[in-house]
Amino acid sequence: MAKMSYIEAIKETQRAEMQRDPNVFIAGEDVGVMGSAFGQTAGLLKEFGPQRVVDTPISESAIIGLGVGAAAMGLRPILVIDFIDFMAVCMDEVLNQASKLRYMLGGQVKIPLVIRTQIGAGIGAAAQHSQSLEAFFTHMPGMKTVAAATPADIKGLLTAAIRDDNPVMFIEHKTLARLEGDVPEGDYVIPIGKADIKRKGSDVTILSWSAMVHKCLAAAESLAQEGINAEVIDIRSLVPLDKECILNSLGKTGRLVIVHEAVETSGYGAEIAAMVADQGFDLLDAPIKRVAAPFTPVPFSPVLEKEWVVSEEKIIDAVKSLF
Amino acid sequence: MNLDREKMLNLYENMVKIREFEEKARELMLGGKLAGFLHLYCGEEAIAVGVCANLNDKDCITSTHRGHGHIIAKGGNIDKMMAELHGKATGYCKGKSGSMHIADLNIGIVGANGIVGAGLPIAVGVAFAMRYKKMDNVVVAFFGDGASNRGTFHEALNMASVLNLPVVFVCENNHFGMSTPQSVHQKIKDISVRGTAYDIPGKTVDGNDVLAVYEAAAQAVSRAKNGQGPSLIECKTWRHYGHFIGDPEPYKDPEEQKKWLARDPIPRFAKQLIELNYATQAELDAIKDSVKEKIEAAVKYAQSSPDPLPEDVFSDVYAE
């Protein structure tokens, strides 16, 4: 195990994969000389040169398009779109090209690309730099969507994403940048589609992903003091979803609280709730609860933003309402 | 232009093959044999043929919703194309594409595309990979006048320019973005001037003159292969039919239509071939007859091919 931060894990995983496979390259805005806004690619230009660490114009459509064309030719692009909010300007390349080409072409082509991007509020970045839009990408057959909550999960999931033969949305969270954690050394791959039980429990299942996992864990500790033993599942992969892990957990607990940072309406929690209602109805002893953001854009003022982001208290209240 | 007889007749044959394929597809569609949309290439054959005659199997193209011509000119198999139009399991894409997404990666056809202007950034990526792998090849991005107003056009030209990639951008200016005349959708007359904004040489040629297209493409391809970066070629042309089969074309001036039909690239090239003693009328007629037979055989192949199995809907979503 090595101690490293979330950002260092991103950087080191990319470095290791680029050393391992000459077909892996990075392209995006400010990934080269600057090493990305938070240092996620720092030093890689110097090590791998401008052919493999490509500073691009501010042209998101052309960045993803470049990745699609390069991937169709057998390369393994890592495309950096710094904030998930900016994905709105290159959606055609993601939705109609990257996700669908293999199918439309009858399986003639593989599109092994990774789009690295960040979600999340909490740093006063306001409505166009704080959204959690991961659900958009779960509505695209052909695309996989993963989200990492810890430095170890960064390494395991990013390695898997880069080696995957399909397009993968790799969702990072900006408030986790400095989070430190133990990261396994050597080759470490977490299969995409495997959830992780981050806390074992028997009374209620709290399900989440990305930064909210940490709030769920903190809430679980508080609940434990009140005699409620919560199991916390980090799904880690939205598509494909580890239904088995979720349903097994509900077999023990009979109660489900889904927590996500995105707005509640049409958030991915709705999909999970529907899946459980359909496939796990008999396991439930109480209604499924969702804890998510209100249906408003993300506000700027720290006072407003704090109100907007799901709090530990809201998670605790939701859990208690089931007993 | 100094092309040998074989090459000249090959240009002719490919143009005729596209025309006959499209006319047959139209007949089948109007006869209720085909589903979906069909965007016919009739009238624009000289562009695909003139450009692709400069390419080898490892050179690539990205195409458009009006893509049959590009695919045939790049060497696509008309049996598999016709089967794909019929939605058959033997089609290029096992019946999952239809007319608008046909591809053949083995001969550099990275795909037709249903989204206007989407092929350009993909072509830039293909060119990036070619250079990355130190391949001595080029990619051609075909697109129309309508696409030249999309952001992808501008982003792709700039990206190709700044990365100095081997791309030839070929604009087929048929003077309409679907129904909207060029004069309504942009103020410039020559789309080739847009190259200037990206330090890319732009050239406008008569897109109904196969030899003029061939020559312009030859220069651009050689430039790209010599590491001198991308080019933009605008080929002025006219689609004989509407945007799609069923389009009543209220936007076309009958006089203009008449004028352009008189410039039909196929009889025009046939006349040249005869005048320059490359072929006799009888030889050209024989080429046409042989093409027609191949098209009939393709239709027969398609119509006698099996349908996909219902469970095939689930295959090819993800690579294992």
Side-chain angles (χ1 to χ4, degrees):
Chain A
M1 288 285 179
K3 201 78 160 172
M4 66 173 78
S5 74
Y6 193 84
I7 292 286
E8 281 166 340
I10 295 168
K11 185 176 66 186
E12 291 307 321
T13 303
Q14 292 175 111
R15 169 177 287 142
E17 287 306 292
M18 289 177 80
Q19 284 170 347
R20 195 186 64 85
D21 182 352
N23 285 331
V24 178
F25 72 94
I26 302 178
E29 294 154 20
D30 313 303
V31 297
V33 177
M34 189 171 171
S36 302
F38 299 107
Q40 298 96 319
T41 55
L44 299 183
L45 172 64
K46 204 173 162 200
E47 184 173 344
F48 297 103
Q51 173 86 340
R52 296 185 66 195
V53 182
V54 187
D55 267 325
T56 65
I58 300 179
S59 301
E60 287 80 5
S61 293
I63 293 168
I64 306 296
L66 180 140
V68 172
M73 295 289 284
L75 300 185
R76 293 189 170 272
I78 301 171
L79 309 165
V80 180
I81 302 291
D82 231 352
F83 295 86
I84 202 166
D85 316 73
F86 308 165
M87 294 301 303
V89 297
C90 53
M91 212 52 143
D92 177 63
E93 281 63 37
V94 180
L95 170 70
N96 288 318
Q97 312 302 330
S99 305
K100 291 193 175 62
L101 276 185
R102 178 177 173 77
Y103 190 82
M104 292 192 306
L105 271 48
Q108 284 187 65
V109 71
K110 291 175 183 171
I111 307 291
L113 62 80
V114 176
I115 300 172
R116 278 194 38 238
T117 189
Q118 301 180 83
I119 58 169
I123 64 164
Q128 296 172 340
H129 289 72
S130 301
Q131 297 169 89
S132 292
L133 302 176
E134 61 275 17
F136 283 11
F137 306 95
T138 65
H139 204 62
M140 302 179 185
M143 177 64 75
K144 296 183 179 180
T145 300
V146 301
T150 67
D153 285 352
I154 286 279
K155 179 169 180 176
L157 288 171
L158 185 51
T159 303
I162 294 168
R163 295 182 191 177
D164 201 287
D165 280 336
N166 298 284
V168 180
M169 285 297 296
F170 189 82
I171 311 285
E172 300 160 15
H173 198 289
K174 60 176 81 70
T175 65
L176 300 178
R178 291 189 194 82
L179 178 75
E180 298 267 341
D182 288 329
V183 175
E185 292 180 62
D187 207 55
Y188 178 58
V189 185
I190 296 171
I192 292 176
K194 284 281 170 210
D196 184 35
I197 299 174
K198 287 225 164 29
R199 184 187 194 281
K200 281 213 173 292
S202 53
D203 300 334
V204 58
T205 300
I206 308 179
L207 178 155
S208 192
W209 57 91
S210 197
M212 277 298 149
V213 168
H214 299 283
K215 283 198 180 167
C216 294
L217 288 168
E221 289 312 312
S222 303
L223 287 163
Q225 287 169 18
E226 300 184 44
I228 298 174
N229 187 10
E231 179 145 298
V232 177
I233 295 179
D234 175 1
I235 58 168
R236 296 198 294 204
S237 165
L238 284 73
V239 175
L241 180 66
D242 190 348
K243 297 177 186 174
E244 196 185 337
C245 174
I246 298 167
L247 295 171
N248 284 344
S249 178
L250 288 176
K252 285 193 298 183
T253 66
R255 293 177 175 85
L256 177 62
V257 175
I258 301 166
V259 181
H260 61 63
E261 186 173 328
V263 296
E264 185 174 80
T265 308
S266 301
Y268 196 58
E271 175 62 29
I272 296 173
M275 183 280 288
V276 170
D278 182 33
Q279 298 178 34
F281 189 75
D282 293 340
L283 305 173
L284 294 170
D285 298 325
I288 300 165
K289 279 281 175 197
R290 285 184 290 162
V291 185
F295 196 56
T296 75
V298 184
F300 165 68
S301 159
V303 173
L304 300 176
E305 190 185 40
K306 188 162 179 288
E307 174 62 25
W308 188 88
V309 176
V310 168
S311 65
E312 207 180 305
E313 291 69 36
K314 283 182 188 157
I315 301 168
I316 291 168
D317 289 348
V319 169
K320 284 186 178 169
S321 76
L322 299 181
F323 289 90
Chain B
M1 286 307 300
N2 273 320
L3 292 178
D4 62 29
R5 180 173 186 271
E6 193 190 336
K7 191 131 192 176
M8 291 287 264
L9 293 187
N10 199 258
L11 294 176
Y12 181 76
E13 180 178 345
N14 275 334
M15 287 166 64
V16 172
K17 199 193 251 186
I18 295 170
R19 176 70 54 93
E20 295 301 323
F21 184 94
E22 296 294 59
E23 292 293 353
K24 181 55 73 175
R26 180 170 183 267
E27 180 191 315
L28 290 165
M29 180 69 129
L30 293 173
K33 302 280 186 199
L34 301 179
F37 288 120
L38 269 193
H39 307 91
L40 299 179
Y41 197 66
C42 296
E44 307 185 19
E45 294 91 343
I47 305 169
V49 171
V51 170
C52 291
N54 290 283
L55 306 179
N56 63 45
D57 277 356
K58 289 210 160 54
D59 294 322
C60 292
I61 64 166
T62 61
S63 173
T64 68
H65 57 286
R66 198 177 307 288
H68 304 167
H70 309 136
I71 292 154
I72 290 172
K74 189 69 174 61
N77 176 306
I78 56 170
D79 290 353
K80 288 184 179 182
M81 288 177 71
M82 199 56 96
E84 190 58 46
L85 296 193
H86 284 77
K88 297 299 183 107
T90 55
Y92 254 125
C93 307
K94 307 181 199 165
K96 284 180 170 139
S97 148
S99 161
M100 275 191 283
H101 314 291
I102 295 176
D104 185 345
L105 275 294
N106 294 320
I107 52 170
I109 301 168
V110 184
N113 209 306
I115 306 293
V116 168
L120 288 88
I122 294 173
V124 172
V126 172
F128 178 88
M130 284 171 171
R131 194 176 62 190
Y132 197 96
K133 296 175 164 189
K134 301 190 169 37
M135 293 163 68
D136 176 28
N137 290 97
V138 63
V139 52
V140 172
F142 289 103
F143 60 98
D145 50 302
S148 75
N149 294 327
R150 279 217 54 215
T152 50
F153 165 87
H154 297 275
E155 289 194 11
L157 262 71
N158 185 56
M159 186 85 92
S161 166
V162 80
L163 297 177
N164 200 45
L165 295 172
V167 190
V168 179
F169 295 100
V170 176
C171 179
E172 303 173 320
N173 180 358
N174 65 22
H175 299 87
F176 295 96
M178 194 165 160
S179 72
T180 309
Q182 192 194 357
S183 60
V184 174
H185 76 60
Q186 57 192 189
K187 210 152 183 180
I188 54 168
K189 289 200 166 54
D190 293 335
I191 294 168
S192 59
V193 301
R194 289 196 167 162
T196 310
Y198 307 104
D199 197 28
I200 291 176
K203 188 170 186 175
T204 294
V205 299
D206 178 349
N208 284 18
D209 177 349
V210 69
L211 297 179
V213 173
Y214 179 88
E215 195 171 352
Q219 284 173 14
V221 165
S222 126
R223 199 172 171 274
K225 288 191 175 179
N226 289 330
Q228 293 168 287
S231 306
L232 170 61
I233 302 171
E234 177 198 18
C235 305
K236 291 202 195 282
T237 188
W238 191 260
R239 55 170 147 78
H240 288 181
Y241 294 115
H243 172 66
F244 59 97
I245 292 180
D247 170 4
E249 302 180 75
Y251 49 86
K252 264 190 188 173
D253 172 0
E255 282 307 306
E256 278 286 299
Q257 171 83 355
K258 217 167 122 190
K259 195 177 90 189
W260 278 95
L261 286 179
R263 293 182 200 158
D264 186 329
I266 295 177
R268 186 170 156 187
F269 188 50
K271 192 160 169 262
Q272 271 179 296
L273 288 171
I274 292 165
E275 279 173 5
L276 298 170
N277 292 318
Y278 281 98
T280 62
Q281 184 63 54
E283 283 168 326
L284 297 184
D285 290 346
I287 289 175
K288 191 169 176 177
D289 290 344
S290 144
V291 163
K292 282 189 167 203
E293 273 175 37
K294 286 176 190 158
I295 303 287
E296 285 304 333
V299 173
K300 211 169 160 194
Y301 173 81
Q303 294 184 345
S304 62
S305 283
D307 285 323
L309 300 172
E311 56 265 36
D312 291 341
V313 74
F314 300 107
S315 63
D316 303 320
V317 181
Y318 291 97
E320 294 306 326

